[in-house]
Amino acid sequence: MTKILRKPNLVLTTLFILLLNSSLFAKSDEGHDGAVDTKDEVGEYILHHIKDAHDFHLFSYTDSHGERKHVGFPLPVIVWSSKGLTTFMSSKFHHDDSGHQIVEANGTRFVKLHSKIYELEEGAEAISFDETHHPTNAHKVLDFSITKSVFGILLVGLLMFIWFAGLARQYKKKQIPTGFGRVLEPLVLYVRDEIARPNIGEKRYREFTGYLLTVFFFIWILNLLGLTPLGFNVTGQLAVTAALAIFTLIIYTFKGNKGYWGHMLWMPGVPYLIRPVLAIIEVAGAFLIKPFSLLVRLFANISAGHIVVMSLIAIMVTMKSEMGAVGATSLSFVLSFFITLIEVLVAFLQAYIFTMLSALFIGMAVEEHDHH
Amino acid sequence: MTVPNLVGAGLIVIGAGIGLGKIGGSAMEGIARQPEATGKIQTAMIIIAALLEGLAFGALFLGK
């Protein structure tokens, strides 16, 4: 037993697989049953996958009683409603996303509509909509749930802590890492020597290597996690990429030296009349355009990659009538297989580019200017 | 998506395609002339391509 516990990665993986097998939730067969047959349903399904969700959904099938079964595993829902903090498992919604499944908890009633949790007003028995399909008798609640993305972030945080704490411990004992550390060491050196050092400069690169390494591995592992069939799309969430971009913004704003601010607000060496114009452009560039381009690039690349892979998989549904089941399935398999290989490359490239541009921006803020 | 949105998206992609083609082409020429500078040229190429891509994605995202 102790020998097994010494292999935390193995334990985590096993727990994960056990979780996958343990739960199965059934839903009564009313309205939209989750089947994907037409092109519209395929589009809806893909857009649903791109968004964050309150449970992991692996697949659905219809059992011998004609009942629709959804297989996946639930995640905890934590909301701040009118009655205070309320928690329950998302399996109570039975994978319903149309607002029809009502969950009673802590004296209030909740429904889930388009991956958002709504609280029904006092006395309301069922959700009702106005003509634009907005609910009229329910309101949104503050949602602190462990959603799919939050779960992914926690999982990657834990994995990174285990991996890198182990690596650091190995360096203390002897100078050469063993086991998985041998995979990590060249990557760490790569980020330090190829990204941090040339872009930030020999003098101050050590200060920022920690942040760059964290951001690099965080984005890369989450990108790779997004390629597994579990349905993670963490780095394709605007909130996640925005938070990462804001970290970079904070670092280069507060670590910027006198030369950086001088060049931003009162550019030396140009005519005085042009300096205010340049200052406006530079300020907009530093506080809006740089972080915005960082966050949109990562978000759009990863989301677009997911949409392309899922669209190619969906060929087996959309082209079935033209090509037959076998033809459509083989075409979709070949295309999606090779696009997935490209996505593995993109996963690394986007992590590299985010880290590289962060290093570049930090380097611009801390570089020592020659005195003119 | 409406027709103007689609036309705009097409224009963005054409512009980004021309830009990426120029960057890639020049990098290829540079590497052919000076194979020993391949690493540096590739890094610079990827940075410029990423900046261009950020602009194109930003435009696509705002036009959505």
Side-chain angles (χ1 to χ4, degrees):
Chain A
M1 190 63 200
T2 47
K3 207 174 173 188
I4 292 175
L5 283 178
R6 258 186 247 138
K7 293 196 184 305
N9 298 337
L10 202 70
V11 176
L12 268 181
T13 319
T14 320
L15 276 177
F16 209 63
I17 292 166
L18 282 177
L19 261 177
L20 286 182
N21 290 329
S22 63
S23 70
L24 187 114
F25 27 78
K27 195 188 88 176
S28 57
D29 203 7
E30 51 169 298
H32 184 60
D33 57 357
V36 180
D37 289 323
T38 63
K39 282 183 182 165
D40 287 343
E41 282 169 347
V42 167
E44 200 180 298
Y45 186 86
I46 293 174
L47 287 182
H48 182 80
H49 160 82
I50 293 300
K51 286 200 291 187
D52 203 2
H54 284 84
D55 55 11
F56 279 94
H57 178 229
L58 296 175
F59 57 90
S60 309
Y61 66 97
T62 312
D63 70 1
S64 51
H65 306 294
E67 207 178 1
R68 194 78 189 158
K69 298 268 191 191
H70 298 282
V71 180
F73 56 98
L75 291 166
V77 174
I78 304 162
V79 290
W80 186 266
S81 65
S82 56
K83 298 267 167 62
L85 196 69
T86 311
T87 55
F88 53 91
M89 289 305 276
S90 68
S91 51
K92 287 196 177 170
F93 284 119
H94 297 294
H95 198 66
D96 170 66
D97 208 30
S98 58
H100 292 299
Q101 182 74 35
I102 296 172
V103 173
E104 279 200 55
N106 201 9
T108 40
R109 292 148 160 259
F110 298 98
V111 292
K112 187 153 73 76
L113 180 68
H114 302 310
S115 300
K116 295 268 191 307
I117 299 207
Y118 289 82
E119 183 187 345
L120 282 182
E121 310 276 341
E122 203 72 44
E125 287 298 319
I127 192 163
S128 56
F129 301 102
D130 59 11
E131 31 329 323
T132 52
H133 205 70
H134 287 297
T136 50
N137 58 353
H139 57 86
K140 277 185 192 167
V141 286
L142 269 181
D143 194 348
F144 303 105
S145 306
I146 310 289
T147 56
K148 243 168 34 170
S149 296
V150 176
F151 183 77
I153 291 171
L154 292 176
L155 182 76
V156 169
L158 192 66
L159 277 179
M160 278 171 66
F161 182 75
I162 291 169
W163 289 345
F164 289 102
L167 188 62
R169 211 167 48 234
Q170 284 167 358
Y171 277 116
K172 265 186 197 143
K173 260 190 283 178
K174 45 187 191 273
Q175 289 300 305
I176 299 167
T178 51
F180 194 59
R182 287 202 184 153
V183 181
L184 296 173
E185 194 196 51
L187 290 164
V188 172
L189 289 182
Y190 178 77
V191 173
R192 191 191 71 183
D193 293 339
E194 303 293 324
I195 298 178
R197 209 194 286 246
N199 287 306
I200 301 179
E202 203 60 47
K203 251 189 213 160
R204 296 191 65 181
Y205 78 95
R206 278 187 164 271
E207 276 175 68
F208 304 104
T209 307
Y211 170 69
L212 295 175
L213 280 171
T214 312
V215 138
F216 176 79
F217 282 102
F218 183 74
I219 296 175
W220 189 35
I221 298 169
L222 279 174
N223 284 350
L224 289 179
L225 212 57
L227 295 176
T228 59
L230 289 171
F232 282 109
N233 184 25
V234 185
T235 37
Q237 303 293 332
L238 266 182
V240 175
T241 59
L244 291 170
I246 288 170
F247 287 152
T248 302
L249 169 70
I250 288 173
I251 288 177
Y252 71 66
T253 304
F254 284 97
K255 288 282 181 178
N257 59 17
K258 226 169 90 187
Y260 169 71
W261 291 104
H263 276 77
M264 183 151 90
L265 300 171
W266 203 243
M267 181 77 80
V270 293
Y272 287 100
L273 277 176
I274 300 177
R275 288 186 187 189
V277 182
L278 275 181
I280 294 169
I281 296 171
E282 289 280 330
V283 167
F287 294 110
L288 289 174
I289 298 169
K290 277 179 190 172
F292 185 74
S293 73
L294 270 183
L295 80 93
V296 169
R297 178 180 310 109
L298 183 57
F299 158 76
N301 264 298
I302 302 304
S303 290
H306 279 240
I307 292 172
V308 168
V309 170
M310 292 195 74
S311 307
L312 290 178
I313 292 173
I315 283 179
M316 69 173 85
V317 176
T318 50
M319 302 276 279
K320 204 155 84 179
S321 53
E322 287 95 337
M323 301 179 62
V326 177
T329 309
S330 28
L331 179 70
S332 105
F333 174 77
V334 170
L335 289 177
S336 56
F337 177 73
F338 288 107
I339 281 292
T340 308
L341 288 186
I342 293 177
E343 284 303 311
V344 174
L345 178 73
V346 169
F348 178 80
L349 203 65
Q350 288 309 316
Y352 171 75
I353 285 172
F354 195 99
T355 318
M356 183 74 161
L357 289 176
S358 294
L360 203 70
F361 296 157
I362 294 170
M364 283 155 90
V366 302
E367 107 186 276
E368 297 289 335
H369 290 280
D370 305 329
H371 294 285
H372 308 286
Chain B
M1 271 177 122
T2 57
V3 175
N5 276 4
L6 289 171
V7 173
L11 285 175
I12 293 165
V13 172
I14 290 171
I18 293 172
L20 281 173
K22 281 184 101 85
I23 296 164
S26 317
M28 285 290 152
E29 269 176 32
I31 291 172
R33 276 166 210 266
Q34 272 180 306
E36 68 277 4
T38 307
K40 277 184 182 170
I41 294 174
Q42 266 173 351
T43 312
M45 178 187 83
I46 288 175
I47 291 174
I48 298 170
L51 291 172
L52 176 89
E53 196 187 46
L55 196 72
F57 275 135
L60 281 178
F61 181 70
L62 288 178
K64 197 176 78 170

